[in-house]
């Protein structure tokens, strides 16, 4: 990407360009013969040809909306003159699905091998709650363990993570919301990044511990204990019993040590948040390259945030391995259209004020950039939120665009690594799964370097290729999965970002 013209045209059919630096009013814009009609900030769009009112505005060669008024070359293209309109696409199910050539170089990472055949990238103890009412007691147990030096005797355990949330009761016991929470809690209880789980409920909640346990072995290694506060006799007795049970779990978890594992055991959840005009140019396509490399090694990558692929879903249906898989994705898109309508929302409500300050205007534009994270691999399957992912390759998991909630679903589905691209900046982590933060632009990376793991701004500023940057991200997958610390882990993030998706009425 050259800085010669200080703007970037992403496709020959595009009628807009993206400013690579701030462009002052009156400044000539490349070789178009036009001048900027007003100041165009870095990452924002400007017209490079006349666009009539009602005409499609194109970026990436795709529709990102329609002009609300006539737009002259050199004018800023944004919320004042660009809106959502008709965006019907040809889904062409499975038409462009082409398998990627496998890579057989025997690369490995060092992980924790579990009894169910999966491999963890971390070895935490989890204190998982069935309901908000047991959240404080879970934290009390974790605090008591930490104050007592509990982990001194268990050097192979990375820490104790209380998993608390705001639901589990005041809900129906047999609807979609209940099923979603059940999948989420079950997924965390079985997650390979946990060496053991202590499951705590109050006792009278809708999400019953007995139903979660269900008379079956949730974990193949037996490293799970459960209790309710009401049965144990209150807060103090539950803390005492909890510490005793934690010792039993810790003895099992501590026996695990890092050993080589094939890259096919990596499952990477791909997220973007605080996106900007550079997201679809730098970090997201670079992550797409890394995703393809991992898929070629037999691993799994997960794209999510259904509300943030809206308008770009046709790019995924064409790559589906079958018509049925493509139709599963569209079924989820239609579900979201109904979900937003019955809650008096719109799919185009998704771009946030920060997204818009960064240069993004419509959900169509945001979605096209977000889908770039998926690379070019075939779409192997489509899963519900928190549903266990049982296929390799590139997959999609249904979720909201709210980042902590979407990541919660990906982890429940089995992701043992998260990669998060951001243009505006993000400060969060997601225990028990490490999260790699990828900056879309160099300015934000410098400003928030203590929180960012990778800078993709150099794709624009220094001419680094997407392939080079994708390889850098892929190598970081292996380093972090093998025990390297992410910036969010060093800062201690991950204790409050467990956010189950609440669907349905709170009663």
């Amino acid at each position: 990407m050259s800085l010669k013209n200080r703007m970037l045209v992403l496709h020959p059919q595009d009628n807009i360009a993206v400013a690579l630096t701030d462009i002052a009013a009156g400044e000539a814009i490349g070789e178009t013969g036009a001048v900027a009609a007003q100041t165009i900030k870095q990452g924002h769009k400007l017209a490079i040809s006349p666009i009539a009112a009602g005409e499609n505005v194109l970026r990436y060669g795709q529709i990102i909306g329609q002009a609300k008024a006539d737009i002259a070359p050199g004018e800023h293209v944004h919320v004042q003159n660009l809106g959502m309109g008709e965006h019907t696409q040809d889904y062409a199910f499975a038409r462009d699905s082409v398998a990627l050539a496998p890579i057989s170089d025997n690369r490995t990472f060092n992980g924790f091998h579990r009894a169910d055949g999966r491999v963890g990238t971390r070895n935490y103890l989890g204190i998982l709650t069935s309901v908000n009412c047991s959240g404080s007691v879970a934290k009390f147990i974790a605090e008591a363990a930490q104050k007592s030096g509990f982990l001194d005797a268990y050097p192979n355990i990375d820490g104790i993570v209380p998993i608390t949330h705001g639901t589990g009761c005041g809900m129906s016991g047999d609807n979609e919301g209940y099923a979603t929470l059940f999948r989420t809690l079950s997924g965390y209880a079985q997650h390979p990044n946990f060496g053991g789980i202590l499951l705590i409920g109050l006792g009278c909640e809708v999400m019953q511990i007995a139903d979660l346990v269900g008379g079956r072995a949730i974990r193949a290694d037996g490293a799970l204990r459960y209790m309710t506060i009401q049965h144990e006799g209150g807060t103090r007795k539950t803390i005492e019993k909890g510490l005793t049970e934690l010792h039993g779990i810790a003895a099992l978890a501590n026996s695990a040590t890092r050993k080589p594992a094939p890259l096919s055991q990596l499952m990477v959840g791909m997220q973007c948040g605080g996106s900007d005009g550079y997201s679809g140019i730098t970090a997201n396509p670079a992550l797409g390259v890394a995703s393809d490399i991992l898929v070629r090694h037999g691993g799994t990558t997960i794209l999510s945030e259904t509300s943030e692929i809206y308008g770009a879903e046709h790019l995924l249906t064409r790559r589906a391995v079958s018509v049925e898989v493509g139709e599963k994705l569209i079924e989820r898109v239609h579900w979201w259209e109904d979900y937003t309508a019955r809650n008096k929302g719109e799919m185009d409500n998704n771009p946030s004020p920060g997204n818009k300050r960064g240069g993004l205007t419509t959900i169509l534009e945001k979605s096209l950039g977000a889908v770039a994270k998926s690379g070019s691999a075939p779409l192997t399957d489509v899963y519900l939120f928190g549903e266990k992912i049982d296929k390799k390759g590139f997959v999609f998991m249904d979720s909201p665009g709210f980042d902590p909630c979407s990541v919660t679903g990906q982890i429940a589905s089995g992701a043992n690594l998260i990669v998060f691209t951001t243009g505006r900046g993000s400060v969060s982590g997601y225990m028990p799964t490490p999260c790699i933060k990828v900056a879309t632009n160099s300015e934000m990376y410098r400003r928030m370097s203590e929180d960012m793991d990778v800078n993709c701004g150099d794709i624009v500023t220094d001419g680094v290729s997407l392939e080079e940057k994708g390889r850098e991200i892929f190598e970081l997958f292996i380093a972090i999965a093998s025990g390297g610390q992410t910036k969010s882990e060093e800062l201690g993030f991950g204790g409050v970002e467990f956010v189950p998706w609440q669907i349905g009425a709170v009663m």
Side-chain angles (χ1 to χ4, degrees), residues 89-167:
Q89 300 285 354
D90 176 11
Y91 292 139
F93 295 116
R95 190 182 71 186
D96 299 331
S97 181
V98 179
L100 301 183
I103 297 175
S104 303
D105 57 7
N106 298 317
R107 294 290 302 276
T108 62
F109 71 99
N110 289 320
F112 296 95
H113 294 249
R114 304 303 185 193
D116 64 359
R118 293 188 291 175
V119 179
T121 63
R122 295 294 182 267
N123 193 35
Y124 284 107
L125 296 181
I127 306 177
L128 181 64
T129 55
S130 62
V131 65
N132 175 262
C133 308
S134 57
S136 289
V137 171
K139 290 183 177 180
F140 295 158
I141 294 171
E143 290 165 0
Q146 289 160 0
K147 289 177 182 177
S148 70
F150 179 98
L151 290 178
D152 292 346
Y154 306 108
N156 294 330
I157 296 176
D158 291 317
I160 301 172
V161 184
I163 302 293
T164 64
H165 55 96
T167 184

Side-chain angles (χ1 to χ4, degrees), residues 259-294:
K259 297 177 182 176
L263 297 189
S264 59
Q265 290 292 341
L266 282 182
M267 184 180 293
V268 179
M270 302 184 295
Q271 289 288 138
C272 57
S275 301
D276 68 353
Y278 275 9
S279 294
I281 300 172
T282 61
N284 288 355
L287 178 52
V289 171
S291 173
D292 282 348
I293 297 173
L294 182 59

Side-chain angles (χ1 to χ4, degrees), residues 2 20 33 52 73 86 146 224 312 337 373 407 413 446 452 473:
S2 172
L20 298 179
E86 179 59 44
Q146 289 160 0
L224 182 140
E337 290 172 333
K373 299 193 299 290
V407 173
S413 286
R446 286 192 293 268
M452 298 292 115
I473 294 170

Side-chain angles (χ1 to χ4, degrees), residues 377-453:
L379 176 63
T380 302
D381 211 343
V382 175
Y383 294 85
L384 296 175
F385 184 95
E387 185 178 5
K388 186 175 181 180
I389 291 172
D390 57 1
K391 292 180 181 168
K392 302 291 186 180
F394 163 60
V395 302
F396 187 88
M397 186 209 74
D398 182 35
S399 83
F402 180 42
D403 306 320
C405 182
S406 183
V407 173
T408 294
Q410 290 181 327
I411 294 172
S413 286
N416 54 12
L417 197 64
I418 298 293
V419 181
F420 191 116
T421 68
T422 179
R424 306 297 291 175
S426 172
V427 291
S428 57
Y430 302 95
M431 291 180 183
T433 298
C435 177
I436 298 169
K437 291 288 177 55
V438 181
T440 71
N441 64 84
S442 298
E443 290 76 12
M444 187 275 287
Y445 177 80
R446 286 192 293 268
R447 190 170 64 251
M448 298 184 64
S449 60
E450 292 183 347
D451 293 275
M452 298 292 115
D453 297 286

